Amino acid sequence: MFGARCLLRALRSCSSAPCPRQRPAARVSVRGALGVQSANGERVKVQGWIRSIRSQKEVLFLHVNDGSSLESLQVVADSSFDSRELAFGSSVEVQGQLVKSPSKKQNVELKAEKIEVVGNCDAKAFPFKYKERHPLEYLRQYPHLRCRTNVLGSVLRVRSEATAAIHSFFKDSGFVHIHTPVITSNDCEGAGELFQVEPSSKIKVPEENFFNIPVFLTVSGQLHLEVMSGAFTQVFTFGPTFRAENSQSRRHLAEFYMVEAEISFLESLQDLMQDRLEHMLKNNFLIISYTEAVEILKQASQNFTFTPEWGADLHTEHEKYLVKHCGDIPVFVINYPLALKPFYMRDNEDGPQHTVAAVDLLVPGVGELFGGSLREERYHFLEQRLARLGLTEAYQWYLDLRRFGSVPHGGFGMGFERYLQCILGIDNIKDVIPFPRFTHSCLL
């Protein structure tokens, strides 16, 4: 009887003592897991997609990536976890212990205790195959999936970092960021390559327009930035731009991103090129005039299908040749004919060959990267020019900027995708933007 009582007390004491519980796994990103310097068996949970899978007799190796890092996390599991559902492209949730890896290729690895397949992937039907290097042209057929490949994933990471760096440059330089409109009544470039905007549903009165005037998708934010530079001195915008160019070349898109800036109290092209563009790109450039460029091209006329006379615009083949002729370094071409850039500041007033203080930056492999100029701030010159073009009424607001406190000013624009082509050495512009739009193609 005494022995039974002791046993009962012992059982009660045991039941009242706290039982040890396993700590819940902390959710971490692949980047966070790889950043652990001294792994001591911490229980963690990682979610991502299988980038590779290798099965041995007793061990299963997975490489899992969640997009937070270029590098994948190695998961080591018992071979009993192996199943058809664990396939390249499948999404998984892995719980286990983060331990120091015996391999020199990585600092840590995840010793799996539980692997759950979140979303299956049919490896046979999946258009991308493990260890197969697919051409970029092939990847373009799958804009909804190509971001999962290493090459496009890397390009888009660089694109994100470059975006942040450009914003940081302008902020540190004292510029104010302006959101210029996507819908506009202006044709800043004057080329007529516009997408007109109309409502999809018919307006009750066919003669009426939704905005009462024709409107278009923007081709440039320059004119709106000129408005804002009259209040903030230094302004910039970074946003989508649209051109209805019937081209499928490696240099053209129907929708792309432009970095544009406008600066008040800017009095010379030299200030624009050296104090702004060179400082932004951190590079040295060669400077030639438009007249010199035309003379160089005339001397090599046998290389072109069309040789420009003075006053004609330069074609892609001309831009490529000029860069190569100048030693494959970036080239500033300055002082363009007035007829090519009618809203820009005149550089000389005498003679039939009026030029303007405008500049294009040509770079190897890409062609034109930057375009910039001093704007025409003199009221009477601009008024006469607009009258000749029949645009006085439409651009009366633009003349008002010259009537009320006008100052010398100028600015530039850079095609962001061409900039990415330049720094990454990628041949086709369609491979540096997530969802390329061009003539006869608008997937997604």
Side-chain angles (χ1 to χ4, degrees):
M1 190 72 176
F2 178 78
R5 288 177 181 174
C6 289
L7 179 61
L8 184 59
R9 281 199 298 268
L11 287 172
R12 285 174 179 170
S13 175
C14 181
S15 63
S16 62
C19 296
R21 292 184 180 180
Q22 200 171 33
R23 294 180 64 183
R27 179 180 173 181
V28 298
S29 66
V30 168
R31 182 178 181 178
L34 293 173
V36 174
Q37 296 300 315
S38 55
N40 296 310
E42 300 92 337
R43 296 194 70 255
V44 298
K45 175 170 66 177
V46 172
Q47 298 163 318
W49 294 268
I50 296 175
R51 290 293 178 86
S52 71
I53 182 167
R54 179 164 52 93
S55 180
Q56 296 182 353
K57 276 189 177 182
E58 298 180 354
V59 184
L60 178 68
F61 294 97
L62 305 175
H63 281 92
V64 175
N65 197 297
D66 62 356
S68 63
S69 168
L70 275 174
E71 187 181 351
S72 296
L73 176 65
Q74 178 168 282
V75 176
V76 183
D78 188 89
S79 58
S80 61
F81 281 106
D82 195 8
S83 74
R84 290 185 179 181
E85 291 184 331
L86 291 178
F88 173 63
S90 296
S91 56
V92 293
E93 179 178 287
V94 184
Q95 295 187 37
Q97 292 182 303
L98 200 61
V99 298
K100 184 175 177 59
S101 175
S103 173
K104 294 182 179 179
K105 293 183 179 181
Q106 65 267 333
N107 185 44
V108 297
E109 61 187 25
L110 182 57
K111 187 177 179 182
E113 297 170 350
K114 178 182 178 182
I115 301 177
E116 179 183 349
V117 176
V118 179
N120 295 322
C121 179
D122 185 343
K124 291 183 179 180
F126 194 51
F128 309 138
K129 307 304 176 187
Y130 173 55
K131 287 188 176 181
E132 191 171 329
R133 298 190 67 176
H134 302 283
L136 292 173
E137 293 81 4
Y138 174 77
L139 299 184
R140 279 181 223 137
Q141 301 175 61
Y142 305 96
H144 56 303
L145 297 173
R146 68 174 186 164
C147 56
R148 302 188 189 184
T149 64
N150 287 335
V151 61
L152 259 296
S154 299
V155 168
L156 294 178
R157 289 177 194 279
V158 172
R159 184 184 176 101
S160 176
E161 291 297 320
T163 299
I166 287 171
H167 277 276
S168 179
F169 167 80
F170 281 113
K171 183 178 180 181
D172 292 345
S173 301
F175 282 72
V176 175
H177 185 200
I178 303 296
H179 292 115
T180 54
V182 171
I183 298 176
T184 178
S185 58
N186 302 317
D187 178 8
C188 179
E189 295 291 318
E193 296 166 335
L194 304 169
F195 288 105
Q196 188 162 350
V197 178
E198 295 179 349
S200 58
S201 58
K202 296 294 182 181
I203 298 177
K204 292 180 180 179
V205 183
E207 294 79 15
E208 288 187 4
N209 187 290
F210 187 87
F211 291 101
N212 293 332
I213 56 172
V215 297
F216 313 93
L217 294 179
T218 183
V219 295
S220 171
Q222 177 197 319
L223 299 184
H224 298 98
L225 287 181
E226 286 193 55
V227 172
M228 293 296 168
S229 69
F232 301 105
T233 302
Q234 297 188 120
V235 293
F236 83 101
T237 190
F238 190 165
T241 307
F242 306 86
R243 303 275 173 89
E245 290 183 286
N246 188 18
S247 173
Q248 295 193 29
S249 80
R250 65 179 188 85
R251 299 171 64 247
H252 292 96
L253 290 168
E255 178 187 8
F256 54 96
Y257 278 70
M258 284 282 287
V259 180
E260 298 179 273
E262 198 71 23
I263 305 117
S264 289
F265 305 101
L266 189 70
E267 298 189 1
S268 74
L269 271 185
Q270 207 70 15
D271 291 340
L272 180 63
M273 290 185 293
Q274 294 184 340
D275 295 348
R276 308 294 177 176
L277 300 184
E278 287 189 8
H279 182 52
M280 181 176 177
L281 294 180
K282 301 186 184 301
N283 209 334
N284 295 314
F285 306 92
L286 182 67
I287 301 174
I288 63 174
S289 70
Y290 170 86
T291 303
E292 290 173 316
V294 171
E295 289 304 315
I296 292 170
L297 296 171
K298 282 183 177 179
Q299 292 172 15
S301 58
Q302 69 277 6
N303 296 312
F304 312 120
T305 56
F306 160 72
T307 304
E309 294 295 329
W310 201 96
D313 206 354
L314 303 182
H315 291 188
T316 301
E317 57 181 343
H318 306 139
E319 295 171 349
K320 286 182 180 178
Y321 182 83
L322 286 170
V323 173
K324 189 173 183 179
H325 176 83
C326 295
D328 278 331
I329 63 172
V331 179
F332 278 126
V333 180
I334 64 173
N335 298 337
Y336 275 82
L338 176 64
L340 292 179
K341 302 181 186 287
F343 286 177
Y344 297 163
M345 168 72 82
R346 283 193 185 187
D347 210 33
N348 72 63
E349 307 295 345
D350 302 320
Q353 295 187 344
H354 292 309
T355 61
V356 292
V359 57
D360 284 341
L361 175 61
L362 311 181
V363 297
V366 174
E368 182 184 341
L369 177 61
F370 270 93
S373 78
L374 302 185
R375 318 308 188 193
E376 180 58 85
E377 95 276 1
R378 294 166 296 183
Y379 181 87
H380 66 285
F381 279 111
L382 190 57
E383 184 182 37
Q384 292 171 9
R385 207 172 299 166
L386 288 172
R388 285 198 302 270
L389 296 170
L391 296 173
T392 301
E393 184 179 353
Y395 286 89
Q396 184 58 53
W397 65 269
Y398 197 64
L399 286 171
D400 284 349
L401 298 179
R402 276 67 182 170
R403 291 175 60 201
F404 307 119
S406 179
V407 299
H409 62 286
F412 62 85
M414 178 186 78
F416 184 54
E417 281 72 26
R418 289 190 183 181
Y419 171 69
L420 292 174
Q421 279 187 277
C422 182
I423 64 175
L424 292 172
I426 291 181
D427 183 63
N428 198 306
I429 198 169
K430 301 174 185 67
D431 299 321
V432 294
I433 190 169
F435 303 102
R437 273 84 171 92
F438 51 96
T439 180
H440 307 307
S441 178
C442 186
L443 300 177
L444 273 69

